Amino acid sequence: RLLQNGKRKGHVAGYREIWLLQVTDQNSMPRLAVVPDVFVQDTILGAAPVAATAGAAPGKEAVPTMREHPTAVIACRVLLDLLGSRVADGVPATWLDVSLHNTPKKMAAALQEQVDGLAEPSNVIVGYGLCGNGLVGLKSREHTLIIPRTHDCVAIFLGSHQRYLQRFFANPNTYYLTKGWIDAKDEPLTDYLDYVRDYDEETADYLVEMKYRHYRKLCMVGFSQAELASCRPAAMKVADFCKERFGMEY
């Protein structure tokens, strides 16, 4: 409607597509459940979750509930501190390299390999959001996938998609830092140094301009004062770089 009326304002101006989520088999609704701010389904086809209740169609075998299967974790390494510290002893966990975000088309294949490698039907906590459509096409097979109802992991760190939207409208164009991203060296300063190493200063200047110039603020997200204190020296180096290069506030 906005495009038809020739109006493109605010947060809708940058979007070009709207995705809807579907279940592969609409008749049997396999392993589909909704829990608070988390969705579970067979095949990820888009960004918006379908509201449904786990169960079987009349006359069909009931789908086992999530509690009847063991739990496994497959997540991005940036969630290692946040999620890893909350995983019970004995729960198998796989932490995938953050560089998968640079090639979202390879993300689903990497995740699928891990899902298919599970020895028995499991409730799989997937530590990713939609992440640039990186989860599109991921299939659960005999497992149940439990995936945060978010576009990316920023909302996970902030607590929920709703909290992310509040922050987005109150402070648009904000770049978020966390301990996970600092440890993974996935932030503007390291990007720039890597570009200089791999190319040259002129190319590095161009690439970081294209990637980060639209951000106006830098925000460090931590889960305790101790964590913030331990990350502050590294965060301040990134903040000083971003302020000098892009005029970001910290």
Side-chain angles (χ1 to χ4, degrees):
R1 185 180 299 173
L2 287 168
L3 294 177
Q4 289 174 350
N5 294 338
K7 298 178 182 179
R8 289 168 48 195
K9 297 181 180 180
H11 69 286
V12 299
Y15 291 92
R16 294 294 179 271
E17 297 180 357
I18 297 175
W19 288 76
L20 298 178
L21 195 68
Q22 285 183 289
V23 178
T24 306
D25 185 349
Q26 292 287 353
N27 294 318
S28 62
M29 300 290 281
R31 285 179 299 284
L32 177 64
V34 170
V35 295
D37 217 39
V38 174
F39 66 86
V40 183
Q41 65 147 67
D42 239 29
T43 302
I44 307 304
L45 297 178
V50 174
T53 302
K60 296 195 175 184
E61 183 180 353
V63 176
T65 63
M66 290 191 292
R67 293 184 181 179
E68 294 176 359
H69 293 311
T71 299
V73 175
I74 302 173
C76 179
R77 185 167 293 277
V78 298
L79 293 174
L80 178 58
D81 284 287
L82 176 64
L83 182 57
S85 62
R86 292 164 170 80
V87 175
D89 293 339
V91 172
T94 301
W95 309 99
L96 300 181
D97 195 278
V98 68
S99 63
L100 284 173
H101 287 83
N102 298 330
T103 52
K105 290 184 179 180
K106 297 181 179 179
M107 187 182 294
L111 283 165
Q112 193 68 65
E113 182 180 357
Q114 296 298 325
V115 170
D116 293 348
L118 294 171
E120 58 183 321
S122 303
N123 300 316
V124 186
I125 300 173
V126 181
Y128 285 89
L130 188 60
C131 294
N133 289 340
L135 266 64
V136 172
L138 178 64
K139 299 180 184 301
S140 67
R141 313 298 192 202
E142 69 272 25
H143 312 288
T144 298
L145 304 183
I146 304 167
I147 304 174
R149 195 198 302 260
T150 64
H151 289 289
D152 55 42
C153 48
V154 173
I156 298 175
F157 285 114
L158 292 176
S160 70
H161 181 63
Q162 288 72 24
R163 179 58 177 155
Y164 170 78
L165 290 178
Q166 292 172 2
R167 292 283 307 179
F168 178 85
F169 288 114
N171 298 281
N173 304 109
T174 298
Y175 185 88
Y176 293 94
L177 276 179
T178 68
K179 185 179 186 302
W181 284 318
I182 291 174
D183 290 345
K185 299 188 180 300
D186 184 20
E187 32 77 8
L189 176 56
T190 299
D191 271 359
Y192 176 73
L193 295 176
D194 287 347
Y195 291 146
V196 171
R197 180 198 64 206
D198 296 339
Y199 305 105
D200 53 59
E201 287 193 17
E202 183 178 355
T203 303
D205 290 339
Y206 171 78
L207 292 173
V208 295
E209 272 297 312
M210 293 296 293
K211 192 171 182 179
Y212 298 109
R213 65 184 179 183
H214 63 286
Y215 290 108
R216 295 293 176 263
K217 294 182 179 181
L218 187 74
C219 177
M220 176 71 197
V221 180
F223 299 92
S224 69
Q225 289 301 319
E227 181 177 305
L228 288 173
S230 68
C231 295
R232 186 167 285 112
M236 289 307 302
K237 289 181 181 179
V238 178
D240 291 341
F241 172 79
C242 290
K243 182 177 182 179
E244 181 180 351
R245 298 288 303 210
F246 313 110
M248 285 191 206
E249 300 177 9
Y250 177 69

